[in-house]
Amino acid sequence: MNKLTIKDFIKLLMGKFWLILFFMIIGGVAAFCYSKFMLPLQYESHITMYVQSYTNVNENANNTNNITNSKQLVNTYMEVLKDDAVMDALGDRLMDMFDQDTLASNFTISNRKIVPSSIRRTISVTSVADTSALKLSVITKNPNVSAAVCNALTVIAPKFVQDAVGVGSINTIDKARVYNNPVGPNVKKNAILGAAAAFFLIVFLIFLIDFFDNTVKEADMLGNKYKKAILGEVNRFDDFRKRKGGKKDAESRLLISDPKTPFNVSESYKSIRTNVMFAMGTSDNKTVVVSSPNPSDGKSTTAANIAIAFAQTDSRVLLIDADMRKPVQHKTFKVKNTDGLSTLIIKKSTTAKCIRENVVEGLDLIPSGPTPPNPSELLASENFAELLNQFSVVYDYIIIDTPPINVVSDAMVMKNLVNGILVVVKHGKTTFDEVDNCMKQLDLAQANMLGFVMNEIEQNRHSSYYKSKYDYGYGESGSSDKKGSEADAD
């Protein structure tokens, strides 16, 4: 397994940038709305309490020692002020000052008494630095209640402090005031916290999903794991189809013969063509099977475009739709499928009736024909082997579109009749488990596996390469591809 680096993590997050941004906006807006419209307003009141030490200030003593002794009492007084006994006394006093409904909206009431912990939660006692003063702050949902808690505590505190500590005292010089301007909730702060929480949540989910994601996403990892060549990577077509208003079905398959096909997509298939030519080596057998582990991996589109790419080199090319269970090539090239491979093998039709000539310049097509009850047996028959021998004399290259390897064994039965098998995997969809199963079947059949083509790559991975290297304004991808100069460019 490859080690993930910080660069890999950054790359993963950048690939999900808009998703992360979307969730951050949703989190921030949700927190804002909840704080603005759902949370109750909060009101604060405060008062300062002063701690007097053991020594009377009128005695002939050092004032510095008085202050020092007072500071030593501050922490003790802070604990005393939040004791349950103080809270009970404070609750009794509040019960005499406010009605039941007002108190119930601010505190928890049980057995007609205010629960001490519910009062304690509203109180904050802090020491003022370098002084013997305590700052008492109270935040409740009612400004009058906040002020009343402060003032009541200043009345109750001295007695409890004297009883608990036995020395010193606590004094105030003013009363807590009622402030009608709310101090909470802090809508802006909560919105930022909501956006931050959404960010960390979505990042965690992205890493979690990626950790358990077993789909093929890196061509290098795929090639290294199976020790097979990566013959090419093809960008995703979806955005192009949407711009054209097409449907995502067989009729909307993107062909490099279309003048509007993106340049980088066309170049990808031409590069695959060159790599396939090298993979076939010097063998006289120029027949290639195109398959995939699963349906919808893009093997039919890949087969059609590789065939067109070979035809653009002035070669005579034959594309055979051997996927007789779920044929699509007749739809891709918009031809009839009344006669085809199935009727040709059983000699129910002639070659002339089954071959659709020049569906693209230099490319002939044999559609699948009517679906037979025994496709595998037909492809394994002597008649099919004889047909391939006949076609190999007439055509420079033969490309055969077959059903997925993990579904049926059709591709395996013709292993001895072809140069090799090209396997198409879909980026982010085909899993390594599915590729494992496919490779086991190929190994078991001892078939020659030419390499992989990774389909549906994210658009931004290769577009900049092709634009900078090739796009000098000399036309779109639909231009004719002749032998020589453009073959070298591949």
Side-chain angles (χ1 to χ4, degrees), residues 288 290 299-300 303 319-323 328-329 399-403:
V288 175
V290 179
K299 51 94 181 172
S300 294
L319 173 61
I320 300 176
D321 190 351
D323 190 349
V328 296
Q329 298 297 357
I399 309 298
I400 305 176
D401 180 12
T402 64

Side-chain angles (χ1 to χ4, degrees), residues 237-249 252-254 301 456:
F237 301 159
D238 293 359
D239 295 337
F240 172 76
R241 291 174 184 163
K242 290 174 183 176
R243 289 196 296 269
K244 291 183 68 178
K247 298 179 180 179
K248 290 180 65 177
D249 54 19
S252 66
R253 292 179 186 277
L254 184 64
T301 300
E456 298 273 356

